[in-house]
Amino acid sequence: MSIRVPFDTVKETVKKALLCAGLSQEQAETCAAIHTQSSADGVESHGLNRIPRFVEYIQKGWINLEGRPVKAGGFGAVENYDGQMGIGIINALFATDRAMELAKEHGIGCVALRNTTHWMRGGTYAWRMAEAGFVGISWINGESCMPMWGSDQMGVGNNPICMAVPREDGEIVLDMAMSQYAYGKLGVYRLAGKKLPYPGGFDKDGNLTSDPGAIEETMRILPTGYWKGSGMAICLDLMAAVLANGNTGIDQNAALRGSCGGSCQIFIAFNPYLFATREEVQAKLNRRVAAADATHPDREGGKVTCPGERTKVTRARSMKEGVAVDETIWSQICSIAEGNLDVKDIASF
Amino acid sequence: MSIRVPFDTVKETVKKALLCAGLSQEQAETCAAIHTQSSADGVESHGLNRIPRFVEYIQKGWINLEGRPVKAGGFGAVENYDGQMGIGIINALFATDRAMELAKEHGIGCVALRNTTHWMRGGTYAWRMAEAGFVGISWINGESCMPMWGSDQMGVGNNPICMAVPREDGEIVLDMAMSQYAYGKLGVYRLAGKKLPYPGGFDKDGNLTSDPGAIEETMRILPTGYWKGSGMAICLDLMAAVLANGNTGIDQNAALRGSCGGSCQIFIAFNPYLFATREEVQAKLNRRVAAADATHPDREGGKVTCPGERTKVTRARSMKEGVAVDETIWSQICSIAEGNLDVKDIASF
């Protein structure tokens, strides 16, 4: 069951919970704002639902609250930072901002971060770039949680890639994991007693299935586009580990520090106004997006949209009516905020 | 029916055909080498199969044989070129090489090309970067040839993205279009009287189908991963048009200069040895690829591979046994090489 809670109440409660978990005022303020925004944008799986697990990771010592991005190297438009296993959100925000600084100086900027922890919602950083007026690409490599195409054994991370387009009349932002459905989504469908709209993995007999429970059992989630998502996932892993001089997915498997513990993250920002004026660029973006959105829907009452457009609608509703939060998760967070850190991670992703 | 013809014979014949079509010695030599390599690598659809259409485009004036990449602007690690509607392969090779030069100077290099024509096999440029020792990302925006998710009307290009990993024991290269199957692939299955392995589009009643003919009829090819490939395709279009200060997909629709006529192409090269030695990087790549390839296959006799590994096997076989070419296409190319330019484009993509 979902309830709606005012944005500021959510944020203040999450902040209290994070202070109880040992974060500094500044860390708690930043992380609470990001987690609340993720839920407000409709990405609950990596918003509030992640708080109990985040607290658990801190207690296990998998996140180093003293960790800060330390410059490990730099050359021209590229910089490399060691995240010291610090808070994923804080490290990733730093890297995003630094990539944009480099882009101001060099036209393009790339920050490659290693030894960092889960960045939570990948789209956070792409939205930040788009809102600041930059085109952007970012991705992460994680531990093996998806079989590669042709395999029935975990072989590669579900490495999301994000893309940012700074359209001022509505940012266009892609936040795309490499599996067709997230584990969290499977649980949502199973609990609702529903089948997935399209096959999302393999059952124990090795057949493609839309039964979420059967996929949870085998953990054989389907790469998006079958062989395609599998191929992109391994490329993103290799590129991230090389560019950041950090861990590959299998190095993370071996280290056992939770999801994306010790991962690499890449942030590339481009100045979109090098060769055309802001007005020209914005007019072009508006024209193209309008044309896409105007294509004929495949069903009565349907509406074609570009990535990010629905997020803005969800965001506006959350600001007006409150942020939708799962009741159980909310009571857990309230409990943490009262100092009870011994909370079980009930969300599965 | 496919026959095998020695690589050098194929290349010389294609070169003769291209000379007949009006290319200079140097242009014909370069394009013949690339088209032949694409077929030798198993990408016939964008190798030899494209020659008749390429010749047709020249005759229609859609490709300007005098067109050269002209620098339109530059800032730091980014350069912008106008391709003057020149030969797509020649323009794209120039841009690839220039991106690598910029990466040597700035750690990362980005060349954004506008007003260019079809680059043929997208992987050509990623392979070139990987073989030259660079990590790379490249993509193109094309005219609308695929419905966006939720639409039954052409709305976005099938914009491929390519990724390059310079592993010396076998480059890892992804060349991924945004539809689940290329149009060319549908034709191949239809002619063989086969169903697609997985649904590849919608039939006239709006149902997902694996019947290639039914999809060719509606032209409603399926974005890879349903909404995911659709979202990425529009983002790639927007980013390419902005970064290159060039045409979006809909601008190309309006101009009617064939597939990818007036498109934008982005080439990003990264120096992978900024923060670690070549030995360290190569050891890491080998370890990660070996682990991926060693994951348990989902069927008896199966083999898990990373993108590009099978290409190398196909390439080796082509060099030994000859390049596999479609008999009808081959006779067309031989006919063009004898000066008969009035050849019908029989390959559908």
Side-chain angles (χ1 to χ4, degrees):
Chain A
M1 276 297 294
S2 190
I3 53 172
R4 286 196 177 263
V5 182
F7 187 97
D8 288 342
T9 308
V10 174
K11 194 189 133 194
E12 284 312 307
T13 310
V14 171
K15 184 176 175 184
K16 267 188 212 154
L18 296 178
L19 286 170
C20 286
L23 274 70
S24 71
Q25 278 286 339
E26 198 187 338
Q27 289 171 334
E29 173 70 25
T30 302
C31 291
I34 298 289
H35 276 280
T36 305
Q37 190 65 57
S38 297
S39 276
D41 283 2
V43 191
E44 295 167 66
S45 59
H46 291 76
L48 261 62
N49 294 12
R50 277 279 178 164
I51 298 290
R53 186 188 289 194
F54 177 64
V55 171
E56 184 195 321
Y57 279 17
I58 294 168
Q59 292 179 294
K60 284 183 169 162
W62 290 351
I63 293 168
N64 168 21
L65 295 180
E66 310 297 322
R68 297 283 180 283
V70 172
K71 192 166 174 182
F75 184 91
V78 186
E79 288 183 354
N80 182 215
Y81 289 84
D82 188 318
Q84 297 190 318
M85 296 299 287
I87 298 169
I89 286 177
I90 308 258
N91 282 345
L93 288 173
F94 170 86
T96 304
D97 292 347
R98 191 65 204 131
M100 293 191 285
E101 285 303 315
L102 288 167
K104 283 183 200 162
E105 205 178 326
H106 304 280
I108 186 173
C110 175
V111 171
L113 183 60
R114 70 168 184 246
N115 293 330
T116 190
T117 60
H118 203 300
W119 67 1
M120 301 298 152
R121 174 192 181 197
T124 296
Y125 317 98
W127 275 99
R128 190 175 179 92
M129 287 197 265
E131 285 167 353
F134 288 84
V135 166
I137 301 177
S138 62
W139 73 91
I140 182 172
N141 70 356
E143 75 287 354
S144 302
C145 60
M146 179 170 82
M148 285 183 62
W149 184 245
S151 172
D152 54 15
Q153 180 191 1
M154 298 298 121
V156 73
N158 187 1
N159 309 329
I161 187 168
C162 303
M163 296 179 179
V165 179
R167 179 169 166 261
E168 292 171 4
D169 288 349
E171 293 78 10
I172 304 301
V173 176
L174 180 82
D175 178 357
M176 175 177 151
M178 289 300 131
S179 69
Q180 190 63 58
Y181 296 101
Y183 278 114
K185 204 67 144 183
L186 300 181
V188 169
Y189 275 90
R190 176 177 40 78
L191 290 170
K194 287 185 188 167
K195 296 272 173 198
L196 300 168
Y198 302 95
F202 297 89
D203 64 19
K204 62 182 168 43
D205 300 321
N207 296 315
L208 269 178
T209 179
S210 302
D211 175 356
I215 301 165
E216 288 177 313
E217 205 181 308
T218 62
M219 294 183 69
R220 286 184 60 188
I221 53 172
L222 180 68
T224 186
Y226 314 97
W227 52 91
K228 296 199 168 195
S230 170
M232 190 181 281
I234 187 73
C235 285
L236 292 172
D237 184 356
L238 292 166
M239 294 197 298
V242 166
L243 298 179
N245 188 25
N247 294 321
T248 64
I250 55 163
D251 299 330
Q252 294 172 56
N253 297 347
L256 281 175
R257 291 177 296 194
S259 179
C260 298
S263 57
C264 298
Q265 292 159 12
I266 308 297
F267 303 85
I268 306 170
F270 307 77
N271 179 346
Y273 306 126
L274 294 177
F275 312 122
T277 67
R278 186 170 141 257
E279 289 66 29
E280 288 165 339
V281 168
Q282 291 299 324
K284 181 179 294 187
L285 292 175
N286 284 337
R287 201 171 66 240
R288 180 64 186 98
V289 170
D293 290 356
T295 51
H296 188 264
D298 63 5
R299 69 200 68 184
E300 187 79 25
K303 178 81 195 78
V304 177
T305 58
C306 295
E309 291 193 282
R310 291 185 188 183
T311 306
K312 298 278 269 195
V313 174
T314 305
R315 186 183 295 176
R317 186 174 172 205
S318 297
M319 295 317 289
K320 199 175 156 198
E321 300 175 18
V323 179
V325 294
D326 178 86
E327 227 170 359
T328 315
I329 296 281
W330 180 241
S331 74
Q332 283 194 324
I333 291 171
C334 293
S335 176
I336 300 171
E338 284 161 10
N340 169 25
L341 296 185
D342 190 23
V343 166
K344 189 169 169 287
D345 173 21
I346 57 154
S348 78
F349 316 93
Chain B
M1 277 295 296
S2 190
I3 53 171
R4 286 195 175 263
V5 182
F7 187 97
D8 288 343
T9 309
V10 174
K11 194 189 130 191
E12 284 313 307
T13 310
V14 171
K15 184 177 174 182
K16 266 187 213 155
L18 296 178
L19 286 169
C20 286
L23 275 70
S24 70
Q25 277 287 338
E26 198 188 338
Q27 289 171 335
E29 174 69 26
T30 302
C31 291
I34 298 289
H35 277 281
T36 306
Q37 189 66 56
S38 297
S39 278
D41 283 1
V43 191
E44 294 166 67
S45 59
H46 291 76
L48 261 62
N49 294 12
R50 277 278 179 165
I51 298 289
R53 186 187 290 194
F54 177 65
V55 171
E56 184 195 321
Y57 279 17
I58 294 169
Q59 291 179 295
K60 283 182 170 163
W62 290 350
I63 294 168
N64 169 20
L65 295 180
E66 310 298 322
R68 297 285 181 279
V70 171
K71 192 166 174 181
F75 184 91
V78 186
E79 287 183 355
N80 183 214
Y81 289 84
D82 187 317
Q84 297 189 320
M85 295 299 287
I87 299 169
I89 286 176
I90 309 257
N91 282 345
L93 288 173
F94 170 86
T96 304
D97 292 347
R98 190 67 203 128
M100 293 191 284
E101 285 303 314
L102 288 167
K104 282 182 200 162
E105 205 179 325
H106 303 278
I108 187 172
C110 176
V111 171
L113 184 61
R114 70 169 183 245
N115 292 329
T116 190
T117 60
H118 204 300
W119 68 0
M120 301 298 152
R121 174 194 183 196
T124 295
Y125 317 98
W127 275 99
R128 190 175 180 93
M129 288 198 264
E131 285 167 353
F134 288 84
V135 165
I137 300 177
S138 61
W139 72 92
I140 183 172
N141 70 355
E143 76 286 356
S144 301
C145 61
M146 178 171 82
M148 286 183 60
W149 184 245
S151 173
D152 55 14
Q153 181 191 1
M154 299 297 121
V156 73
N158 187 0
N159 308 330
I161 187 169
C162 303
M163 297 179 180
V165 179
R167 178 169 166 260
E168 292 172 3
D169 288 349
E171 294 77 12
I172 303 302
V173 176
L174 180 83
D175 179 357
M176 177 177 149
M178 289 300 132
S179 70
Q180 190 62 58
Y181 297 100
Y183 278 114
K185 203 67 142 184
L186 300 181
V188 169
Y189 275 89
R190 176 178 40 78
L191 291 170
K194 288 186 189 166
K195 295 272 174 199
L196 299 168
Y198 302 96
F202 296 89
D203 64 19
K204 62 181 169 42
D205 299 320
N207 297 314
L208 269 178
T209 178
S210 303
D211 175 355
I215 302 166
E216 288 177 313
E217 203 180 309
T218 62
M219 294 182 70
R220 287 184 59 188
I221 53 172
L222 180 68
T224 186
Y226 314 97
W227 52 91
K228 296 199 168 198
S230 170
M232 191 181 281
I234 187 73
C235 285
L236 292 172
D237 184 355
L238 293 166
M239 293 198 299
V242 167
L243 299 179
N245 189 24
N247 294 321
T248 65
I250 56 165
D251 298 330
Q252 294 172 57
N253 297 347
L256 281 175
R257 291 177 296 194
S259 179
C260 298
S263 57
C264 298
Q265 292 159 14
I266 309 297
F267 303 85
I268 306 170
F270 308 75
N271 179 348
Y273 306 126
L274 295 177
F275 311 122
T277 66
R278 185 169 142 258
E279 289 67 29
E280 287 165 341
V281 167
Q282 291 299 324
K284 181 179 294 185
L285 292 175
N286 285 336
R287 201 172 66 239
R288 180 66 186 97
V289 170
D293 291 356
T295 52
H296 187 264
D298 63 5
R299 70 199 68 184
E300 188 78 26
K303 178 82 195 78
V304 178
T305 58
C306 295
E309 291 194 282
R310 290 184 188 185
T311 306
K312 298 278 269 196
V313 175
T314 303
R315 186 183 296 175
R317 185 174 172 203
S318 296
M319 295 317 288
K320 199 174 155 197
E321 301 175 17
V323 178
V325 294
D326 178 86
E327 227 170 1
T328 314
I329 295 281
W330 181 240
S331 76
Q332 282 194 324
I333 292 171
C334 292
S335 175
I336 300 171
E338 284 161 11
N340 170 25
L341 296 185
D342 191 23
V343 167
K344 188 171 169 285
D345 173 20
I346 57 154
S348 79
F349 317 91

